[in-house]
Amino acid sequence: MTSCNPLAIPMQDDAPQSFGFAPCEGGVCAAAGMRAAGISAGFRRNPQRKDLALVVADEASACAATFTQNRFCAAPVQVSRGRAASGHARAVVLNSGNANAATGEPGLRCAEKACALVARELGCDERDVLVASTGVIGVQLPLEPYMTGVPAVVGALAATPEAAHDAACAVMTTDTHPKEAALVGPAPQAGGGAVTVHVGGFAKGSGMIQPNMATMLCVLSTDAPLTPEAARSALLSAVRQSFNKVTVDSDTSTNDTCILFATGAAGGDAIDEASPAFPAVAAAIKGVCTNLARQIAADGEGSTRLVTVDVLGAATQADADKVAFAIANSPLVKTAIFGHDANWGRVAAAAGKCGVPFSQEAVDIDLMGVPVLRAGLPVPMDEGDMLRRFEQPEIGVAVSLGAGDAHARVWTCDLTHGYVKINGEYRT
């Protein structure tokens, strides 16, 4: 007899709380040695909206970054990708309102000049300054707002939660709210004891979201003394398990950029991948990224619900990911959730369409923790109870393929009239 107990979702054993990390205030400025600011510089028509952000390490620091794999990548991606390869950076300047994408040589020169202006104000090598942009594609980015805005934003730099919040606000486009997170916890030392380290950051993203190596824009920082190699390893792993598991609409942006600064200001032993502190710090970086990724999915354009899709029992990790994204990207699944319709048939159809081999007689499906399909056959459900469950802010969809042990989790949102309206009017 087939059990109708809810599917058991595997717990993650590298969760930051298992290493003693807990939420804290401060966002990207939670880490010692970091300052930030956000102002209105004139990239947007509305002077009430902040549109220029700057995040600065007190000294050139270990740095790692990931970028979009979209072949139509923006000028700031091309500039920052080359500079981040050194493994060190001092600052990143970010603007909203204009993506500086599909702008040719003038766009590249503008991105480079923006870095030079920041370097001049900070008194550092311009190769240690990165740049990121977000907004409308195909419009030349004016240099004038940088000319007046960079001195002003440098003058506003501060190591406070308020300054971090201003920076997070300045990169918003169709986001309904800024997205920030921070954790604090112990980094074990080789000789015993531990030092207290912080990890924090902000992200923006609401539409054109199915990242491939990063999110729309994200800046992270830690005061842990990571080597450049350890910073890159931790960031790549965190991004793969967080931002690369988010989809709002299956579109990968031209501007995806995720940057991690590691100031080392917490002190203690240098942390490479063999250090006793590395697993804890890497888990904290992943924890902040996961928090931000969930915020992005929950704030998908026009969305009303965060949706978590778990695919269990796949033969391979690639199979699990493929089925999870097929479900998460299905307009029929997403609109059913918006309509509070427990239509598990749409979930089953999405899982079966993507070419992953499995036997339908082995498939189980849960919606919001309620078994609705077992061994490929429907389980009676209380429609009234399901309607009540749809009032929850997060909707869970779990599918077991019965083909192996691989598991994937993807975050998405419902598809509403608001998404069509926002994107139909994006430029007008």
Side-chain angles (χ1 to χ4, degrees):
M1 179 178 294
T2 301
S3 170
C4 279
N5 292 326
L7 295 171
I9 309 298
M11 299 293 292
Q12 295 178 326
D13 56 10
D14 62 344
Q17 57 267 30
S18 67
F19 291 95
F21 279 80
C24 65
E25 299 296 321
V28 77
C29 290
M34 296 298 299
R35 293 175 292 156
I39 66 167
S40 175
F43 291 103
R44 291 182 171 277
R45 297 174 185 173
N46 183 356
Q48 302 304 312
R49 287 197 63 174
K50 294 179 173 63
D51 55 15
L52 181 64
L54 183 63
V55 180
V56 176
D58 290 344
E59 300 177 357
S61 301
C63 175
T66 61
F67 301 93
T68 184
Q69 291 190 19
N70 191 316
R71 298 292 297 177
F72 223 98
C73 63
V77 169
Q78 297 176 55
V79 170
S80 294
R81 181 183 282 142
R83 296 182 178 195
S86 71
H88 292 85
R90 174 83 190 278
V92 57
V93 59
L94 313 94
N95 75 277
S96 60
N98 186 313
N100 194 9
T103 50
E105 284 297 319
L108 288 170
R109 301 293 81 78
C110 183
E112 291 170 342
K113 183 63 175 177
C115 294
L117 289 169
V118 171
R120 184 179 69 186
E121 293 294 322
L122 295 177
C124 70
D125 190 324
E126 67 179 76
R127 292 171 295 183
D128 285 337
V129 181
L130 310 181
V131 59
S133 301
T134 183
V136 176
I137 295 170
V139 178
Q140 289 293 339
L141 180 62
L143 185 61
E144 290 74 16
Y146 285 121
M147 300 290 288
T148 56
V150 166
V153 77
V154 169
L157 285 170
T160 64
E162 293 77 16
H165 184 74
D166 287 343
C169 289
V171 296
M172 291 168 52
T173 51
T174 56
D175 307 63
T176 64
H177 58 82
K179 301 167 178 68
E180 300 179 83
L183 294 169
V184 59
Q189 301 296 284
V195 297
T196 299
V197 301
H198 302 77
V199 178
F202 64 79
K204 67 82 50 186
S206 187
M208 196 181 280
I209 299 287
Q210 184 173 324
N212 189 1
M213 290 306 293
T215 183
M216 288 285 289
L217 293 182
C218 177
V219 182
L220 305 165
S221 66
T222 180
D223 44 23
L226 294 170
T227 65
E229 295 77 16
R232 179 163 178 78
S233 176
L235 182 64
L236 287 175
S237 177
V239 164
R240 178 176 55 81
Q241 298 176 77
S242 58
F243 297 128
N244 282 7
K245 302 297 186 183
V246 171
T247 180
V248 170
D249 47 23
S250 81
D251 282 321
T252 296
S253 169
T254 56
N255 289 61
D256 290 351
T257 299
C258 183
I259 298 167
L260 169 67
F261 293 93
T263 67
D269 304 333
I271 301 174
D272 59 23
E273 293 179 72
S275 300
F278 181 77
V281 176
I285 292 169
K286 176 189 169 186
V288 169
C289 289
T290 299
N291 184 307
L292 294 172
R294 284 172 52 85
Q295 290 188 56
I296 288 170
D299 194 33
E301 289 173 339
S303 69
T304 67
R305 295 291 184 275
L306 170 65
V307 182
T308 299
V309 178
D310 282 287
V311 171
L312 317 168
T316 67
Q317 186 63 54
D319 284 355
D321 287 339
K322 192 170 184 178
V323 173
F325 274 107
I327 295 168
N329 280 325
S330 167
L332 292 177
V333 172
K334 291 157 74 74
T335 51
I337 291 171
F338 172 59
H340 294 188
D341 181 8
N343 191 342
W344 59 263
R346 293 181 170 184
V347 176
K353 75 180 182 181
C354 60
V356 170
F358 60 82
S359 171
Q360 64 174 293
E361 290 79 14
V363 173
D364 298 335
I365 299 176
D366 287 2
L367 295 181
M368 299 171 289
V370 176
V372 294
L373 189 81
R374 286 295 182 268
L377 296 174
V379 175
M381 61 181 169
D382 182 335
E383 295 284 0
D385 174 61
M386 299 304 281
L387 279 173
R388 287 188 292 272
R389 289 173 183 265
F390 271 113
E391 295 304 318
Q392 303 171 38
E394 182 173 353
I395 304 301
V397 177
V399 178
S400 176
L401 301 180
D405 298 321
H407 168 228
R409 173 171 291 174
V410 169
W411 295 284
T412 188
C413 59
D414 55 351
L415 179 59
T416 74
H417 307 291
Y419 180 87
V420 177
K421 180 176 175 58
I422 289 167
N423 285 283
E425 301 173 351
Y426 189 70
R427 293 200 311 134
T428 56

